[in-house]
Every structure is written in C-alpha cells, then in structure tokens.
Amino acid sequence: MLNQKQLIDKVKNYNKFLNPKTLIKAYDFALLAHKNQKRDSGDPYLTHPVAVADILSDLKLDSATIATGLLHDTIEDTKTTYSTVEKEFGKEVADLVEGVTKISELEGKVIQNSKAENIRKLILATSKDIRVLLVKLADRLHNMRTINAIKNDDKAERIARETMEIYAPLADRMGMNRIRDELEDLSFDVLNPDARKLIKDRLDTIKENNLINFKSVSDEFNNLLSTNDINSKIYGREKT
C-alpha cells in the first residue's frame, strides 16, 4: 500500500503544479473514517481506497479525482455524509463521491432483474461527470484483483459476472482497453477457470513459435522497405 508521501510524489511526477493539501487531507480523512473496518482478506480497509487512488494516478488524473478515489466509500460505508465531504473538500469532490455512491447503490437494487445493457445505460445516465465512471472502474478493478479473498463462491461469481457484463463493456466504451482486458481476464478466471487455463496453456505452448514467425515476417518487411529507402520499425503484441 502506498503511504501518503508516495502517493503525492507519484502525482507530482505528472502534475508539477499539484497542491498536495487536498490529497493529504483526503488520505487522513479516509484513514480515520475506515479505521475499524477490514477487507474480506483481513487487511485494513484503507488498503482499498489507497489502491483505487493509485490506479487513478496511473491514469494521470487530477487531484480532485484522486481525492475521490480515497474517499469513494466514505458516504456508503461509514457515517460520513455528503455535507461533511462538501464542508471538508468542497462541492466538486463531494459530488464525485456521491456519484460513485449512487452507482454502488444501483448495483444492489437493479442488477439481478435487469439486462446488462439497460444497467450500463442507467449508470451512464446517472454519471454526470466522466470522472465518476473512472473512479468506479478503478474501484471495480481493485476489487477484481483481490476477489480471491472472497470465500463465498456465489458472491464472487456474481461480482465477476457483473464485471464481465457491465464494467468491462463500459471500459471498452470509454476506450480504456488495458483496464477492459484485465477486467475480462480476472472475471473469466472466476467464471470458468478451466477454460481459461486451457487457453492460457495453449497460448504459452505456441508463444515461442509465434515469436519466431513474427521475426521472420518483420525481417522480410524490413528488408523490402530498406531496399526502397524507407526507414521503419515494426512492432507486434501478443493478443490476450
């Protein structure tokens, strides 16, 4: 888990004009609000909002969004109110935290009896600020990364299916391909681990041969382009 200084230093790497006051305050506020709470893994609950803030800093987002990542569960899971967040951090952050809370409340009320596409539309309609969705996706990504700590198989499967049908497509719609791929892969591992292992083993088996083929084809292209005085570089990537 990142400590307060590490998180601020990370944000400063891409935002040299950062005023760290808000992030310091949000970190301390979350620490106090969640001090008696634990995750399913037994870890202090603070590890989750800090991990969400860390993911958001990987996306190089603004300090209000990262503060929201630190505070995103305070209204839902503690005695903190919207008014308290607004008083301490201003209306912008309070509205973002409330937006994330509303999406979480939607999950419990409508997901079981609704089509995934309708829920996605409802989430999009509810989120007036795109940053709300970014925080929610970061929240879901960390929850999926730690889903093995959930001992109730039915609950884990419900979360994984919800992720596959709702949040991975939302990430795709927002052009966040890396997050979409990771959400899908983590969900697949819960929903059908045998099929995933079969595919993974097959990919590992053919990987070396694919690299040889890629080098052969790219060398041929490079020679052809060089012959015609065209400077080039050819890149390849392994499909998930």
Side-chain angles (χ1 to χ4, degrees):
M1 182 180 81
L2 292 181
N3 62 36
Q4 193 180 84
K5 182 179 183 303
Q6 289 170 328
L7 177 61
I8 290 168
D9 287 345
K10 187 175 179 182
V11 178
K12 280 184 176 178
N13 282 335
Y14 66 84
N15 181 6
K16 61 183 179 181
F17 301 109
L18 173 75
N19 182 346
K21 182 179 177 181
T22 299
L23 292 185
I24 292 172
K25 189 175 181 180
Y27 196 107
D28 289 341
F29 190 96
L31 177 62
L32 183 62
H34 295 295
K35 66 178 181 179
N36 295 321
Q37 296 176 329
K38 299 282 187 181
R39 299 268 288 161
D40 286 328
S41 61
D43 294 328
Y45 196 89
L46 184 69
T47 59
H48 173 61
V50 170
V52 171
D54 189 18
I55 292 169
L56 294 169
S57 67
D58 287 338
L59 299 172
K60 295 181 169 53
L61 294 172
D62 63 291
S63 58
T65 309
I66 295 170
T68 301
L70 290 167
L71 301 168
H72 76 275
D73 276 334
T74 53
I75 293 178
E76 181 184 6
D77 293 335
T78 75
K79 295 180 180 179
T80 305
T81 64
Y82 172 91
S83 297
T84 303
V85 178
E86 183 181 25
K87 180 181 177 182
E88 296 292 332
F89 300 96
K91 189 175 188 304
E92 180 185 16
V93 172
D95 285 347
L96 291 172
V97 174
E98 185 181 49
V100 178
T101 303
K102 285 181 178 178
I103 293 178
S104 298
E105 289 173 347
L106 280 176
E107 291 171 355
K109 291 179 180 177
V110 301
I111 278 178
Q112 287 185 343
N113 300 313
S114 303
K115 292 182 179 179
E117 177 60 25
N118 293 336
I119 299 166
R120 291 197 296 269
K121 288 179 180 178
L122 190 57
I123 289 173
L124 288 169
T126 303
S127 306
K128 298 176 181 178
D129 190 318
I130 191 70
R131 293 175 296 177
V132 170
L133 290 176
L134 294 172
V135 175
K136 187 60 192 178
L137 286 173
D139 170 46
R140 180 50 60 110
L141 180 58
H142 182 250
N143 281 334
M144 287 304 302
R145 286 175 175 174
T146 56
I147 198 167
N148 288 336
I150 297 176
K151 305 305 180 187
N152 185 317
D153 291 341
D154 289 339
K155 180 181 178 182
E157 184 174 329
R158 176 184 60 77
I159 293 171
R161 192 170 302 282
E162 183 181 282
T163 301
M164 183 74 87
E165 295 179 354
I166 297 168
Y167 291 104
L170 279 175
D172 180 65
R173 186 166 180 172
M174 295 168 68
M176 304 173 73
N177 297 338
R178 182 186 62 79
I179 289 179
R180 175 206 62 200
D181 289 347
E182 187 173 356
L183 288 174
E184 288 180 341
D185 189 40
L186 291 168
S187 300
F188 191 26
D189 196 25
V190 173
L191 296 172
N192 200 335
D194 292 338
R196 183 185 180 279
K197 184 177 185 305
L198 188 68
I199 295 169
K200 180 76 166 56
D201 290 346
R202 176 61 179 159
L203 288 173
D204 289 343
T205 300
I206 65 176
K207 184 172 184 176
E208 185 176 352
N209 190 47
N210 283 344
L211 290 173
I212 294 171
N213 288 337
F214 172 74
K215 186 176 187 311
S216 174
V217 172
S218 61
D219 285 348
E220 191 172 343
F221 272 112
N222 276 324
N223 290 334
L224 178 62
L225 292 166
S226 296
T227 301
N228 289 275
D229 298 322
I230 298 173
N231 293 323
S232 66
K233 286 185 178 180
I234 297 176
Y235 300 95
R237 68 180 179 87
E238 185 180 25
K239 298 291 283 185
T240 63

